[in-house]
Amino acid sequence: MINIASTNDLYSSYREKMQEIADVKFSSAVLQWDQETYLPEKGAATRGRQIATLSEIAHRLFTDKGLGDLLNELVQRNDIDDRGKRNVVLTLEDYNKNKKYSPSFVREMSEQVNKTFYVWLEARKNNSFAVMQKELSRLVELKREETHILGYQHHPYDALLNEFEKGCTVVLVDKLFDDLKAPLKNLLDKIISKPQVDDAFLHQHFDKNAQWKLGLEVLELMGYDFKAGRQDISEHPFTINFNSKDVRVTTRIDEMDFTSMLWSCIHEGGHALYEQGLPEEEYGLPLGEACSFSIHESQSRLWENCIGRSHEFCGALLPRLKNHFPEQLNRVTDKEFYKAINKVQPSLIRTEADELTYHFHIMIRYELEKGLLDGSLETHDIPAYWNEKYSENLDVTVPDDKQGCLQDIHWSHGSFGYFPTYSLGSFYAVQLFESARTAIQGLADDVSTLSFNRLLIWLQQCVYQHGRYYTSEELCNKYTGRPLDSSYFVEYLSRKYAAIYP
Amino acid sequence: MINIASTNDLYSSYREKMQEIADVKFSSAVLQWDQETYLPEKGAATRGRQIATLSEIAHRLFTDKGLGDLLNELVQRNDIDDRGKRNVVLTLEDYNKNKKYSPSFVREMSEQVNKTFYVWLEARKNNSFAVMQKELSRLVELKREETHILGYQHHPYDALLNEFEKGCTVVLVDKLFDDLKAPLKNLLDKIISKPQVDDAFLHQHFDKNAQWKLGLEVLELMGYDFKAGRQDISEHPFTINFNSKDVRVTTRIDEMDFTSMLWSCIHEGGHALYEQGLPEEEYGLPLGEACSFSIHESQSRLWENCIGRSHEFCGALLPRLKNHFPEQLNRVTDKEFYKAINKVQPSLIRTEADELTYHFHIMIRYELEKGLLDGSLETHDIPAYWNEKYSENLDVTVPDDKQGCLQDIHWSHGSFGYFPTYSLGSFYAVQLFESARTAIQGLADDVSTLSFNRLLIWLQQCVYQHGRYYTSEELCNKYTGRPLDSSYFVEYLSRKYAAIYP
């Protein structure tokens, strides 16, 4: 029957099925957003099963034989445009991967993630990793099982890395970090030997409401569309999308450090601009989705670091900060502010780390996950391993689990293999930003007047509009003229810190 | 196959299916809650289709032949306890009714409701019924179609009334309102001939934040569990539940009238207490659901009117109000406050109406809906009909659509047949409260110390715990000793107003 149908009809029917799946997935995303922002305490248990049911239904719909038949027919058709073709090819890949999971495994994973998320909250409250160890163990077991389901050639962790960055392997990431470790370490040693930056003025009391308003103001300046999104408070900042016209961000506020809130707003804002820029008409299809985790991260890092920690941005932002916090900041100069915002200091919390030491945080997590997946580490080893590596790599003493291995939400979400994309994202960010600077004459002037229109148009054209049309590597090649090259990143940091730590 | 399975296994499998359906339905409810509280403007279109997809999936699951077979088998089993039996019987009734709807009709209705809801918001913004007339017309057409799908004996409206109150018909409601109209009109005429109550002190400026806090304080006093719920702001106050441990209320704040916010909090709080009191273990099953719309409304009215507008409550509340609004209320006496809160005045807005004139608002809507359904009225007739009936029944002039036929959310939600349950609910409330007063010695003293523990236990025992085990009539008979009798209501009002308007 299917063979005699017109390609147009087949494509419409494929699109309809995909949009139905998207409706279910994004409904689940609304439930998750609510869970992390407004859900009353006692509602948690049932919310867990509601999310699990939606996951199971989405999985059922996405592994339906009818969809498979449709895809296998469509992929052979030639009278289909280029973008349509790419949608079909990518969906078929996803379909074949998804078919590997049984519905019961999907439900078990979803329920276990939910449990683990709640014990993580509990563990943080009690400042004790032990509180979550049992549930995390069960989750790691499921992830090990998943590596077998997905299959891998050399290392079980490859199966999970590949989930977040297509084609990514332990061999590749090992090489990347091995190459980077020495130059970063040298740079860090050099910085530590110089006179240190004074950022004491950042650590005063900054009123919660004023911080909240400031965050909204900066998102607005960046071009984030509040008619297609909103900001709320959550335990851990995140961006979540229900379609390109409803992309929400969250933040958290520490009254003793407004920079934590503000640069997290800029970071999430970068993610959100990407999602708001994805083609609306491709809702539910691969071209309506972001390219990859690393390219997503490149968008947040580009804003957070290349823009947000630049001389020009800091200079333009300071007068606005002084409006909100005159008492605390009136005597601060542009230069002092810029230096303080770029202060390098080995520290405990990944999300608050400077651009340099950040990657040591990632390397530690990467090694740890690798060990958990190949069985050379078990969950009960985590705190000791963590603390030892922090001392070894960053020369800091971890005082407790909350400031140590309990700081990230990722494991409680089952996201093993995610962390390396943060480093990849930082490297892509710098390389893409170099291209933007070449393409947009006077971009620095735009930044110093907080005018981001031309940059947004460039990002729309080079990144947002494509969805998953190109892979990370293809996108990078096409718009920077060469493959990912971490020497851009080393060069960028060296230049920056040579000026700050003369 | 099914016949040789044990009843226990069959029941478990039935329960599992029902809980899956509940997960989908309540997920949709979360999306609706979000839509009316926090959804960004541009997200509306896609949200509509997401909700429609979930409705369709829930419908598909609930009309699945497997479930039907299971129910038809279970209903014949005798080794099943009384509550289990009742679940099965009620589910089979619902199942057979649901089977009448085609999936395409369900989706069309859901999408049309969504569209109509948004044009209603738009129409309110523009203060023009014309803005929504076209979409409402389409919705009314669908409702007419629905009356044929559901079937009816005498009047098409019967089919819709029956959706909200089992067994309810035009004949019954006509009789009820015919009996009531004269005594209420007489009482109103008598009141109007007396010296009027001065409530000017209620119409001052009352700060938004203080009102918000006051609302939360009163919900807390009533026994509403904030760990199993929360309050937010929406265009129109409502209660919504995602399970008995997540029951949310919303309110709206008018700075020139705190009583509007406060009695709406008490009203929604009454609904919410009922939902929070439903048996958790019956999640997804009829016994985990409220008895009926009218009994639901009896719970909100009992709190709003029988408690909230009582002498004792007003006396106990006033000192707390004075804490929040010392300037505005310091010179007000208990008696003045009680009278002001019970002031009778024919007016424009149903939700702000006093206990007496309220029912004229309902009668007008009832007649209007009846006409729309039998075709003697069309949607373009609504504003003129509305305005004429308000003048005729309440002697008030409707100045514009926002204060007229655009005031209620119900039609934009497709809820035709809902309004009469508000009157039924008020009558049940008074009759139930009379029983509570007999059963709980010194209940008035409880109220004057704002101690609601004993009342809550009584409500738990007589109403909450049963879910849908009894029908409205059965429940009323069992706990008040007789069928619904509106003369309790007339008697209650006559007594109250004789004292206020001597």
Side-chain angles (χ1 to χ4, degrees):
Chain A
M1 281 297 276
I2 224 171
N3 291 330
I4 58 157
S6 81
T7 301
N8 261 352
D9 286 353
L10 290 181
Y11 194 84
S12 295
S13 146
Y14 148 70
R15 189 185 149 107
E16 208 173 281
K17 279 175 192 283
M18 292 303 287
Q19 293 191 335
E20 187 187 9
I21 297 165
D23 289 341
V24 178
K25 279 191 193 164
F26 289 125
S27 296
S28 171
V30 175
L31 268 64
Q32 286 166 49
W33 169 84
D34 181 74
Q35 185 177 45
E36 290 174 32
T37 51
Y38 296 121
L39 184 72
E41 197 176 315
K42 294 183 185 171
T46 310
R47 176 56 53 88
R49 62 159 294 147
Q50 290 166 344
I51 290 174
T53 293
L54 293 186
S55 301
E56 212 177 313
I57 290 173
H59 179 72
R60 213 186 293 154
L61 292 171
F62 195 52
T63 50
D64 177 61
K65 198 179 162 299
L67 177 61
D69 292 344
L70 201 49
L71 289 166
N72 282 306
E73 176 63 31
L74 267 173
V75 82
Q76 291 170 52
R77 298 282 177 124
N78 291 319
D79 54 338
I80 184 171
D81 73 8
D82 200 34
R83 289 174 68 88
K85 188 99 198 162
R86 188 84 184 120
N87 271 329
V88 171
V89 167
L90 288 167
T91 307
L92 186 57
E93 275 178 32
D94 295 346
Y95 176 82
N96 288 330
K97 200 189 67 196
N98 260 272
K99 280 297 259 190
K100 297 178 176 176
Y101 297 97
S102 69
S104 64
F105 183 83
V106 172
R107 167 167 279 267
E108 208 181 340
M109 182 65 91
S110 170
E111 285 182 341
Q112 188 58 36
V113 160
N114 194 261
K115 273 187 216 158
T116 315
F117 172 70
Y118 278 99
V119 293
W120 173 67
L121 292 181
E122 210 45 49
R124 279 177 62 91
K125 225 183 260 165
N126 291 285
N127 200 353
S128 161
F129 176 78
V131 171
M132 81 175 297
Q133 193 255 321
K134 206 186 108 212
E135 295 298 344
L136 185 62
S137 239
R138 180 69 199 117
L139 187 55
V140 168
E141 271 168 47
L142 286 174
K143 296 308 282 188
R144 287 174 182 168
E145 207 178 318
E146 193 178 1
T147 66
H148 297 301
I149 292 171
L150 291 169
Y152 56 88
Q153 273 205 295
H154 300 292
H155 193 287
Y157 192 41
D158 289 349
L160 303 186
L161 285 172
N162 187 59
E163 286 300 274
F164 292 97
E165 189 67 17
K166 214 199 261 181
C168 192
T169 62
V170 163
V171 170
L172 287 171
V173 182
D174 277 353
K175 165 119 185 44
L176 190 79
F177 284 148
D178 283 347
D179 286 351
L180 212 74
K181 209 166 181 176
L184 287 190
K185 191 78 183 139
N186 287 341
L187 192 51
L188 180 58
D189 289 342
K190 212 189 286 176
I191 288 169
I192 287 172
S193 71
K194 299 289 169 95
Q196 294 303 293
V197 167
D198 178 15
D199 68 345
F201 63 85
L202 296 179
H203 302 283
Q204 305 175 64
H205 184 266
F206 296 92
D207 173 69
K208 210 168 170 163
N209 289 331
Q211 284 200 43
W212 175 252
K213 280 183 204 153
L214 174 61
L216 297 179
E217 186 181 323
V218 169
L219 283 170
E220 184 99 44
L221 280 170
M222 289 170 67
Y224 174 81
D225 182 356
F226 276 98
K227 289 189 173 169
R230 48 180 292 113
Q231 179 168 268
D232 297 271
I233 295 286
S234 70
E235 176 85 11
H236 192 100
F238 64 92
T239 302
I240 196 165
N241 56 300
F242 312 139
N243 65 76
S244 67
K245 295 289 163 272
D246 190 355
V247 180
R248 305 187 186 183
V249 291
T250 70
T251 193
R252 62 180 171 203
I253 294 175
D254 172 356
E255 289 206 308
M256 291 309 291
D257 179 7
F258 78 94
T259 65
S260 160
M261 178 286 303
L262 190 54
W263 269 263
S264 128
C265 275
I266 301 173
H267 178 99
E268 300 305 334
H271 280 305
L273 285 170
Y274 188 6
E275 290 289 342
Q276 289 187 334
L278 287 168
E280 195 182 353
E281 67 282 7
E282 301 280 3
Y283 173 78
L285 305 179
L287 299 200
E289 295 173 349
C291 168
S292 68
F293 280 81
S294 64
I295 295 297
H296 225 309
E297 188 70 7
S298 79
Q299 296 310 297
S300 58
R301 293 295 169 179
L302 186 149
W303 283 95
E304 180 190 352
N305 296 332
C306 305
I307 304 280
R309 293 186 204 279
S310 69
H311 236 314
E312 295 79 10
F313 186 79
C314 289
L317 191 66
L318 188 59
R320 288 171 179 267
L321 294 177
K322 288 180 178 179
N323 282 342
H324 288 281
F325 308 112
E327 267 181 52
Q328 296 95 321
L329 299 179
N330 252 350
R331 272 162 306 180
V332 177
T333 67
D334 285 11
K335 200 171 171 187
E336 284 165 346
F337 182 58
Y338 170 69
K339 282 177 134 188
I341 282 304
N342 281 291
K343 181 175 182 172
V344 173
Q345 183 155 44
S347 66
L348 295 162
I349 306 294
R350 177 183 60 84
T351 55
E352 322 262 295
D354 57 78
E355 289 180 76
L356 195 171
T357 59
Y358 184 86
H359 300 281
F360 291 100
H361 293 262
I362 298 301
M363 289 185 241
I364 293 169
R365 286 157 176 79
Y366 167 69
E367 293 296 336
L368 208 159
E369 291 187 354
K370 221 164 60 172
L372 287 173
L373 268 300
D374 68 20
S376 59
L377 281 172
E378 293 298 334
T379 52
H380 55 74
D381 300 321
I382 291 178
Y385 180 92
W386 182 285
N387 299 353
E388 188 196 319
K389 292 296 168 185
Y390 265 77
S391 156
E392 197 179 300
N393 281 271
L394 287 167
D395 198 23
V396 292
T397 305
V398 178
D400 55 22
D401 292 345
K402 206 173 163 186
Q403 296 175 77
C405 59
L406 284 179
Q407 67 185 263
D408 296 305
I409 202 174
H410 300 63
W411 296 339
S412 77
H413 271 189
S415 298
F416 293 85
Y418 193 145
F419 284 120
T421 67
Y422 288 142
S423 288
L424 290 174
S426 302
F427 311 150
Y428 277 126
V430 168
Q431 197 166 329
L432 280 167
F433 193 65
E434 287 300 316
S435 293
R437 290 212 303 175
T438 312
I440 307 166
Q441 276 215 329
L443 178 57
D445 296 337
D446 285 16
V447 176
S448 47
T449 53
L450 302 171
S451 313
F452 300 114
N453 238 348
R454 297 196 303 158
L455 177 63
L456 280 172
I457 290 167
W458 189 87
L459 289 170
Q460 185 70 45
Q461 189 190 329
C462 303
V463 183
Y464 304 169
Q465 68 162 324
H466 301 302
R468 285 170 65 191
Y469 189 90
Y470 300 112
T471 65
S472 314
E473 272 301 281
E474 286 166 355
L475 196 80
C476 185
N477 264 307
K478 189 171 165 74
Y479 292 104
T480 75
R482 51 165 64 195
L484 180 64
D485 180 349
S486 67
S487 66
Y488 280 99
F489 180 70
V490 174
E491 165 61 22
Y492 155 83
L493 283 193
S494 305
R495 208 183 326 122
K496 172 182 263 192
Y497 294 128
I500 296 174
Y501 295 91
Chain B
M1 282 294 279
I2 223 170
N3 292 331
I4 58 158
S6 81
T7 301
N8 262 351
D9 286 352
L10 291 180
Y11 194 83
S12 296
S13 146
Y14 148 70
R15 188 186 152 107
E16 209 172 280
K17 280 175 192 282
M18 293 303 287
Q19 292 191 335
E20 188 188 7
I21 297 165
D23 289 339
V24 178
K25 278 192 194 162
F26 289 126
S27 296
S28 172
V30 175
L31 267 65
Q32 286 166 49
W33 170 84
D34 181 75
Q35 185 177 44
E36 288 174 33
T37 51
Y38 295 122
L39 184 72
E41 194 178 316
K42 294 183 186 171
T46 310
R47 175 58 54 88
R49 60 159 294 148
Q50 291 166 345
I51 291 174
T53 294
L54 293 186
S55 301
E56 210 177 314
I57 291 173
H59 179 71
R60 213 187 294 154
L61 292 170
F62 196 52
T63 49
D64 177 62
K65 196 178 164 298
L67 177 61
D69 293 344
L70 200 51
L71 289 166
N72 282 306
E73 176 63 32
L74 268 171
V75 82
Q76 292 171 50
R77 300 279 176 126
N78 291 318
D79 53 339
I80 184 169
D81 71 9
D82 199 34
R83 290 175 67 89
K85 189 99 197 162
R86 188 85 184 120
N87 272 329
V88 171
V89 168
L90 288 168
T91 307
L92 185 57
E93 275 178 32
D94 296 344
Y95 176 82
N96 288 332
K97 199 188 67 196
N98 260 271
K99 281 297 259 189
K100 297 178 177 174
Y101 295 98
S102 69
S104 65
F105 183 82
V106 172
R107 166 168 280 266
E108 208 182 339
M109 181 65 92
S110 170
E111 286 182 341
Q112 188 57 38
V113 160
N114 194 261
K115 272 186 218 159
T116 315
F117 172 69
Y118 278 99
V119 294
W120 173 66
L121 292 181
E122 209 47 47
R124 279 177 63 89
K125 225 183 261 165
N126 291 284
N127 199 353
S128 160
F129 175 77
V131 171
M132 81 176 296
Q133 192 253 322
K134 205 186 107 212
E135 295 299 343
L136 186 62
S137 237
R138 178 72 198 112
L139 188 54
V140 168
E141 271 168 46
L142 286 174
K143 297 308 283 188
R144 288 173 181 168
E145 207 179 317
E146 193 177 0
T147 65
H148 298 299
I149 292 172
L150 290 169
Y152 56 87
Q153 275 204 297
H154 300 292
H155 193 286
Y157 192 42
D158 288 350
L160 304 186
L161 285 171
N162 187 58
E163 285 301 274
F164 293 96
E165 190 68 16
K166 215 198 264 184
C168 193
T169 61
V170 164
V171 171
L172 287 171
V173 182
D174 278 352
K175 161 118 186 45
L176 191 78
F177 285 147
D178 284 346
D179 286 352
L180 212 73
K181 210 166 177 174
L184 287 191
K185 191 80 184 137
N186 287 341
L187 192 50
L188 180 58
D189 289 342
K190 210 188 289 174
I191 287 169
I192 286 172
S193 71
K194 299 287 170 94
Q196 293 304 292
V197 167
D198 179 13
D199 67 346
F201 63 87
L202 295 179
H203 302 285
Q204 306 176 64
H205 184 266
F206 297 91
D207 174 69
K208 207 167 173 165
N209 289 331
Q211 284 200 42
W212 175 252
K213 280 184 202 151
L214 173 63
L216 297 179
E217 186 181 323
V218 170
L219 283 170
E220 185 98 45
L221 279 170
M222 289 170 68
Y224 174 80
D225 181 357
F226 277 97
K227 289 189 174 170
R230 48 179 293 114
Q231 178 167 267
D232 298 271
I233 296 286
S234 69
E235 176 84 13
H236 192 101
F238 63 93
T239 303
I240 196 164
N241 55 301
F242 313 137
N243 64 77
S244 67
K245 293 290 164 274
D246 190 356
V247 180
R248 306 187 186 184
V249 290
T250 69
T251 193
R252 62 178 171 204
I253 295 177
D254 172 355
E255 290 206 306
M256 290 311 289
D257 179 7
F258 78 94
T259 64
S260 159
M261 180 284 306
L262 191 54
W263 268 263
S264 129
C265 275
I266 301 173
H267 178 99
E268 301 304 333
H271 281 305
L273 285 168
Y274 187 6
E275 290 290 341
Q276 288 187 336
L278 287 168
E280 197 182 352
E281 66 282 7
E282 301 279 4
Y283 173 77
L285 304 178
L287 298 200
E289 294 172 350
C291 168
S292 68
F293 280 81
S294 65
I295 294 298
H296 225 308
E297 188 68 8
S298 79
Q299 295 310 295
S300 57
R301 294 294 169 181
L302 186 149
W303 284 95
E304 181 190 350
N305 296 335
C306 305
I307 304 281
R309 295 186 201 277
S310 70
H311 235 314
E312 296 79 11
F313 186 79
C314 288
L317 190 66
L318 188 59
R320 289 173 177 265
L321 294 177
K322 288 181 178 177
N323 282 341
H324 288 281
F325 307 113
E327 268 182 52
Q328 295 94 322
L329 300 178
N330 252 350
R331 272 161 307 183
V332 177
T333 66
D334 285 10
K335 199 171 172 185
E336 284 164 346
F337 182 59
Y338 171 71
K339 282 177 135 187
I341 283 304
N342 283 291
K343 180 175 182 171
V344 173
Q345 183 155 45
S347 66
L348 295 163
I349 307 293
R350 176 183 60 86
T351 56
E352 324 261 295
D354 57 80
E355 289 180 77
L356 195 170
T357 59
Y358 185 87
H359 300 281
F360 291 100
H361 294 263
I362 298 300
M363 289 185 242
I364 294 169
R365 285 156 178 79
Y366 166 71
E367 294 295 338
L368 208 160
E369 292 187 355
K370 222 166 57 172
L372 286 173
L373 267 300
D374 67 20
S376 59
L377 280 172
E378 294 299 333
T379 52
H380 57 73
D381 301 321
I382 291 178
Y385 180 92
W386 184 285
N387 299 353
E388 188 196 321
K389 291 296 166 183
Y390 266 77
S391 155
E392 196 180 303
N393 281 273
L394 287 167
D395 198 23
V396 292
T397 305
V398 178
D400 55 25
D401 292 345
K402 207 173 162 185
Q403 295 174 78
C405 59
L406 283 179
Q407 68 185 262
D408 295 304
I409 202 172
H410 300 64
W411 295 339
S412 78
H413 271 189
S415 298
F416 293 85
Y418 193 143
F419 285 119
T421 67
Y422 288 141
S423 288
L424 291 173
S426 301
F427 312 152
Y428 277 127
V430 169
Q431 198 165 330
L432 280 166
F433 193 66
E434 287 301 314
S435 292
R437 290 211 304 176
T438 313
I440 307 166
Q441 275 216 331
L443 178 57
D445 295 338
D446 286 15
V447 177
S448 47
T449 53
L450 302 171
S451 313
F452 300 112
N453 240 348
R454 296 196 304 159
L455 176 64
L456 279 173
I457 291 166
W458 188 87
L459 290 171
Q460 185 70 45
Q461 190 191 326
C462 303
V463 183
Y464 306 169
Q465 67 161 327
H466 301 302
R468 287 171 63 190
Y469 189 91
Y470 300 113
T471 63
S472 314
E473 272 300 284
E474 286 166 356
L475 196 81
C476 184
N477 264 307
K478 188 169 166 74
Y479 292 104
T480 76
R482 53 165 63 195
L484 180 65
D485 179 350
S486 66
S487 65
Y488 281 98
F489 180 70
V490 174
E491 166 61 20
Y492 155 84
L493 283 193
S494 307
R495 208 184 327 122
K496 172 184 264 194
Y497 294 128
I500 296 174
Y501 295 92

